């Protein structure tokens, strides 16, 4: 709650053009946009929550549910795409049974697609916390997820 107030304190009340930067800041801090955050933003910017949700859902980078214990970021940049990221993303989708931006029912996993992470020569690239997995192939995904489940169980 305090963190959201702090973030809002950096913006001018009622300034609708601040909406997207505010949403980005809050998501960076909290990991997702909670209902409470949307309500507070609405009060601060004097906008309806319906309008805020409408605008926020237009951008696929915003999340409305908490991330899983293990959150994967999969590069969806052009070079990784050329190197086969689409098949990797499909393998993750199949393995976890969720779409980008969703969290598994057990709360262990979530994933998102990101723009270039700066490791194009090493692509397809997956980032998990401080670790980067390079040259990932679809057939690597079951073993990677199995290893990450151990990590999720420890959290
Ligand atoms: S396009 Fe994936 S790291 Fe650059």
């Amino acid at each position: 709650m305090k963190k959201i107030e702090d973030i809002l304190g950096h913006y001018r009340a009622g300034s609708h053009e601040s909406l997207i930067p505010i949403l980005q800041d809050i998501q960076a801090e909290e990991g997702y946009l909670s209902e409470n955050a949307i309500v507070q933003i609405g009060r601060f910017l004097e906008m309806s929550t319906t309008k805020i949700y409408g605008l926020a859902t237009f951008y696929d980078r915003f999340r409305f549910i908490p991330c899983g214990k293990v959150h994967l970021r999969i590069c969806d940049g052009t070079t990784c795409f050329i190197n086969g990221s689409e098949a990797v993303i499909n393998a993750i989708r199949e393995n976890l049974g969720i779409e980008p931006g969703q969290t598994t029912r057990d709360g262990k996993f979530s994933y998102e697609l990101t723009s270039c992470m700066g490791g194009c020569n090493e692509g397809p690239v997956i980032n998990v916390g401080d670790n980067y997995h390079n040259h990932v192939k679809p057939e690597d995904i079951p073993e990677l997820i199995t290893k990450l489940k151990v990590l999720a169980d420890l959290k």
Side-chain angles (χ1 to χ4, degrees):
M1 194 90 151
K2 179 81 172 75
K3 285 179 194 164
I4 295 173
E5 284 171 15
D6 289 346
I7 289 168
L8 294 176
H10 291 109
Y11 294 92
R12 194 162 48 85
S15 165
H16 289 196
E17 56 270 23
S18 301
L19 176 63
I20 300 302
I22 288 173
L23 293 172
Q24 287 171 330
D25 286 358
I26 291 177
Q27 179 158 293
E29 183 63 38
E30 309 262 286
Y32 75 111
L33 301 168
S34 66
E35 197 179 327
N36 175 52
I38 299 285
V39 169
Q40 278 191 264
I41 295 167
R43 278 196 210 116
F44 183 75
L45 294 181
E46 296 166 25
M47 287 176 84
S48 73
T49 51
T50 310
K51 190 165 185 184
I52 295 172
Y53 273 117
L55 287 165
T57 50
F58 181 75
Y59 298 87
D60 58 7
R61 303 275 183 237
F62 293 123
R63 298 178 53 83
F64 302 96
I65 48 174
C67 291
K69 289 179 180 173
V70 172
H71 183 71
L72 294 85
R73 297 171 66 240
I74 303 140
C75 181
D76 195 27
T78 307
T79 310
C80 281
F81 179 82
I82 291 166
N83 288 326
S85 64
E86 192 176 12
V88 171
I89 293 163
N90 286 337
I92 290 172
R93 181 183 281 117
E94 261 178 45
N95 194 297
L96 295 178
I98 54 170
E99 296 295 319
Q102 296 180 338
T103 300
T104 54
R105 278 180 195 216
D106 60 9
K108 288 185 182 172
F109 288 98
S110 58
Y111 70 99
E112 67 179 301
L113 308 184
T114 72
S115 49
C116 177
M117 291 195 255
C120 309
N121 293 336
E122 313 290 327
V125 178
I126 296 179
N127 164 246
V128 185
D130 294 334
N131 297 317
Y132 286 85
H133 302 267
N134 303 320
H135 302 294
V136 180
K137 297 182 209 67
E139 54 269 31
D140 299 333
I141 296 304
E143 190 184 338
L144 176 64
I145 297 295
T146 300
K147 284 182 181 169
L148 292 172
K149 267 187 186 145
V150 176
L151 185 67
D153 288 338
L154 292 174
K155 290 192 175 184

